[in-house]
Amino acid sequence: MASTQPTSRTREKPTGDEEATTDLKLGEFQNVPTLTLSEARVLINAVMGHRKSQRKVEETETLIKTQVYLDVFARFKQQENINAVEAILAQHSELELFERSQLGSLCCETSEEAKTLIPSLATKISDTDLQELLDDITKLRNFVE
């Protein structure tokens, strides 16, 4: 009986070294650009819009669920607000890309909340600076979207 060729390459076993605690250890994902939920929503919608215009649409259940999730949880819906949040976060080069995208997605109200949800922030930014950053992000939220 002829053996069939694998349709995909073998996947490396995860090393388990990744963790987002007070010490941020992202392994191979360290310094990899990340997206906020709002940015991911814009990207997926743009790709799907292009595919629909090309009539190359294959909407799987996973894709549909992902779009619904992003529609619910993306905090910013307007492109200018998404760009403004990214610009605000980019000013904080002391923060890892992962931490910035988490701040842009979670939209914490207080520095205490942010440092509880993103423990690696504890030693990187003062409570005052973090609160100012969070306030700037909050100003961009449109609560009637």
Side-chain angles (χ1 to χ4, degrees), residues 4-47:
T4 59
Q5 293 293 324
T7 57
S8 63
R9 62 181 180 204
T10 56
R11 184 179 209 149
E12 287 185 34
K13 300 268 189 224
T15 59
D17 293 338
E18 296 87 11
E19 58 182 50
T21 60
T22 51
D23 275 340
L24 193 60
K25 297 177 187 172
L26 299 177
E28 67 181 288
F29 299 106
Q30 194 74 34
N31 300 320
V32 172
T34 55
L35 300 174
T36 65
L37 294 177
S38 299
E39 292 169 323
R41 178 181 170 270
V42 167
L43 180 66
I44 288 177
N45 287 342
V47 168

Side-chain angles (χ1 to χ4, degrees), residues 71-124:
D71 284 341
V72 171
F73 292 106
R75 302 289 190 206
F76 305 96
K77 310 287 192 218
Q78 297 173 345
Q79 187 64 50
E80 63 266 12
N81 289 350
I82 295 168
N83 293 342
V85 169
E86 178 59 30
I88 290 168
L89 292 169
Q91 294 172 4
H92 291 273
S93 58
E94 73 274 17
L95 302 179
E96 297 287 338
L97 298 172
F98 173 80
E99 294 163 332
R100 293 184 217 170
S101 64
Q102 290 299 300
L103 287 169
S105 292
L106 295 171
C107 294
C108 301
E109 291 184 20
T110 66
S111 60
E112 181 182 359
E113 178 185 12
K115 288 184 175 184
T116 299
L117 294 174
I118 312 165
S120 59
L121 294 175
T123 60
K124 293 185 178 177

Side-chain angles (χ1 to χ4, degrees), residues 76 84-85 88-89 92 103 107-114 125-143:
F76 305 96
V85 169
I88 290 168
L89 292 169
H92 291 273
L103 287 169
C107 294
C108 301
E109 291 184 20
T110 66
S111 60
E112 181 182 359
E113 178 185 12
I125 187 169
S126 72
D127 286 343
T128 305
D129 290 343
L130 181 55
Q131 189 60 55
E132 186 179 308
L133 169 63
L134 296 173
D135 291 343
D136 289 344
I137 291 172
T138 299
K139 289 175 192 171
L140 295 170
R141 286 191 61 194
N142 183 351
F143 290 98

